[in-house]
Amino acid sequence: MLRIHIYLVHISGITMDISTTLCGPCSERHITKPSTHWCLECEEAVCDDCQEHHKVLKATRGHEIIPIDKYKSLPSFITDIQQSCTYHNEKYQQYCVAHALPICFKCIKEHQKCNVIPLDEITNNAKTSGQLQDLETRLMDLLHNIDRIKMDRKVNLVSIEERKELHLVEIQQTRNQIKKRLNKLEKEIIQDLEKKECQCKKNIQTILSSVKEKENLITEYQTNLQSIKQHASDLQTFLVMRDIEIKVLENEQYLQYLVETGKFEPVDLICKVDPGVLSISNSVMNFGSIEIKTTSSNIRLIRAKDKQAQLQVTTKTINDLKLILQKKISTNGKITRGCCMSGNGEYFFTDHSSRKILYVIASDGTFKYNMLLGPSYGFDITFIDENTIAITSGRSNEHIGIDIIDTERRKKIKFINLPDSPYGITCDHDSLFVCVERRGIYQINTADHITSHVIRCNLPGGSFVSVFANKIYYTNWRDHSVVCCDHDGSRVWSFEDTSVLTIPGGITIDNDGNVFVVGQSSSNVAIISNDGKLHREILTDKDGLREPSAIFFDTQTKKLLVANKKETAILYSVT
C-alpha cells in the first residue's frame, strides 16, 4: 500500500506539471504543444494560438490571461485554490455571506436561509480594495515590528554582555579589596606576633642574666668555702662563715622573690583570630548572588488601525478636558528648562543656570538628590527607559550634544555629539528627537546612536519638541508658533496666536493627540487639538504659573507636570 500511495502522488505531480506545461485545448485534440499562458477563469494552460482564439471568442474574450511563468511562480496554496464547485463541477457564481463560502447555482438549495449575493460584488476590484491595502499595511507593520523587536533583543544581548563584564570587574575589585584588607591585617598581626615574641624573650633573658650573675657569685662563695676549710684558722672560718651566710640568705631571698612574683611562670604565645575573619571562611557561604531582573519593555507594536484611532480625536474631548490639582512641588531650580516623571513617580528637573544641576524629587515631594551636569548646562530631559535619561547640553560652548545618564548609578554613560547646540528633546519608541539650533530637528537611534536630519529649518535656541503618531510637534518662540510636521518635514499645520500664547516653550502630547504648550511670557498653558484647528487656555497665572518653561504628560498615570522657570512646579490629574 505504501508503494502504491507514493506512486500515485508521483503520478499526480507529473499530471499537474503536464497540465501547466502543455496546452490544454490542444491536448484535447491529441496535439502536443507547449503552453505559454494561463487563463485564470478557465484554469487552463494555453499556447499562443489558443490564446489568440481566447481573446476573440465572445465567451472568453473577457478572461484574464497571464504568462505561464507568472502562474508557475505563484505559491502552491494559491494555485491549489479551486474556482469551481467540487460537488457540482460548475463555476462559482454566488457567495454565502453566512458561511463565507463561494458557491455555484446548484449549491443555493443548501443555502436558502443564508444571505447569498453575486460573487462579482465581493471580488470586483479585490486587488485595489481597501481590505487588500490594509493587509499590505499590516504586513509592513508586522515586518517593522519584527525588525524593532530584533533590534531591541540584539541591544539587550549586548547590554547583558556589557553588564556581565561590569559585574566581573566588580567581583574582581571586591575580591581585591578583601585580599588587600586581609593582607594588611595579616601584616599587622605578624608584626604584633614578632613584637610579643621579642618582649617575652627580653623578659626571660633579663631573668637569665640576673640568675647567671647570682650563679657566678655563689660558685665563688662555694670555692672560697672549700679553701677556708682547708687552709683558714678556726677564727677566720668562724668570722667568714657569718659573711657568707648573709650572702647566701640574700640569694635565697632573691630566688624566693622571683618565684613569688611569677618570674619563672612559663610564657606562651596564643593567636586568637578575629571572628570576623573566621566568618569569611565559615559563615560566608556565597560571594554574592546573580539575579535576572526584568524591566518594562519599550517595544510598542505599531498598527495602522491604532494610528488612525489615535488621530480620531473629537472636539468634545478638547472642550471637556479638565485638570485637577494634585500638589505643588519645590524644584530648587533657578532657571528650570526641562522636567519629566519616572515610572515610580519621581520628578526630574534641569537647572539651566550656572549651577548646571539635575534635581530629583521623590514622589512625596521631598528632595532626593541632585547631580552636577557640567560641563553641560543641562537644558531639556527625557527618559529613554526605566533607568536611563537623555539631557541636552543647551547653550554650552565646549560640550555640545546629549548626555546619556544611568539614574540608578547616577553616572554619565554616553555622550552624543551634535553639530550645533541642542535644546528640546523627546523619546519616541527607539528614537530620540532633538531640536538643534539653526539646523532643525535630528533623529537619533537609541540602540546604535545613528543620527539623521529629519526636519531642516532655522530653529532658534530654546525650541522644544514632542512626537505622537508619526507626527513631530515643535515650538518656535521667535515667531510664537507651534508647528506640526510629518517625519519627512512636510508641514501639516501651525498655530500662531499671540493673544493666546507668547514665547511658547515646553510641549507635550496626551493619549488622544491633544497638544499642551506652555507660554512663558503669557504665563499660561494652552491645549491645541491634533488637527491644529481648536485651542483652549487651560491654565493661567491665577493657577500659580509664573513664566512656566517646561511641561510633561505621563501617558500611564495621565498626570500633567508644569514647571515654572523658578523654584516651583505644579502637578495635575487630567480627566
Side-chain angles (χ1 to χ4, degrees), residues 192-202 269:
D192 190 41
L193 177 63
E194 291 174 347
K195 180 180 177 182
K196 295 291 174 48
E197 179 197 20
C198 291
Q199 182 180 339
C200 291
K201 286 182 176 181
K202 182 178 179 182
L269 292 173

Side-chain angles (χ1 to χ4, degrees), residues 127-270:
K127 293 182 180 180
T128 59
S129 66
Q131 184 179 4
L132 183 62
Q133 293 176 0
D134 180 62
L135 277 173
E136 290 178 334
T137 301
R138 289 171 67 185
L139 287 170
M140 290 175 62
D141 285 344
L142 279 171
L143 288 174
H144 186 201
N145 288 328
I146 289 171
D147 286 341
R148 293 174 63 245
I149 289 170
K150 285 163 60 181
M151 177 64 72
D152 180 78
R153 294 298 83 205
K154 288 178 181 178
V155 170
N156 201 180
L157 284 173
V158 173
S159 68
I160 289 173
E161 292 176 357
E162 291 176 348
R163 183 68 72 174
K164 174 196 169 186
E165 295 301 322
L166 179 64
H167 289 322
L168 285 174
V169 172
E170 290 175 351
I171 291 169
Q172 190 64 42
Q173 287 176 344
T174 302
R175 184 182 183 280
N176 290 337
Q177 288 174 358
I178 294 172
K179 181 180 178 181
K180 184 178 179 181
R181 181 62 178 166
L182 288 175
N183 287 341
K184 183 175 180 295
L185 294 176
E186 179 188 22
K187 183 178 179 181
E188 289 175 353
I189 196 171
I190 289 174
Q191 289 175 345
D192 190 41
L193 177 63
E194 291 174 347
K195 180 180 177 182
K196 295 291 174 48
E197 179 197 20
C198 291
Q199 182 180 339
C200 291
K201 286 182 176 181
K202 182 178 179 182
N203 292 338
I204 293 173
Q205 289 294 344
T206 301
I207 294 172
L208 285 175
S209 298
S210 176
V211 172
K212 184 66 175 178
E213 290 177 3
K214 300 298 182 184
E215 180 186 18
N216 293 335
L217 187 60
I218 292 169
T219 302
E220 182 182 348
Y221 287 146
Q222 190 179 34
T223 303
N224 291 335
L225 188 61
Q226 292 299 323
S227 178
I228 290 169
K229 284 173 61 178
Q230 294 178 5
H231 308 292
S233 63
D234 290 339
L235 177 59
Q236 289 174 325
T237 300
F238 174 77
L239 295 175
V240 171
M241 280 175 56
R242 182 172 180 82
D243 293 335
I244 295 176
E245 187 176 3
I246 293 172
K247 298 297 182 182
V248 170
L249 180 60
E250 288 176 357
N251 282 280
E252 287 176 345
Q253 290 175 345
Y254 175 71
L255 292 179
Q256 187 62 36
Y257 165 78
L258 293 178
V259 171
E260 291 176 355
T261 55
K263 300 299 183 180
F264 299 147
E265 291 180 356
V267 178
D268 197 2
L269 292 173
I270 306 299

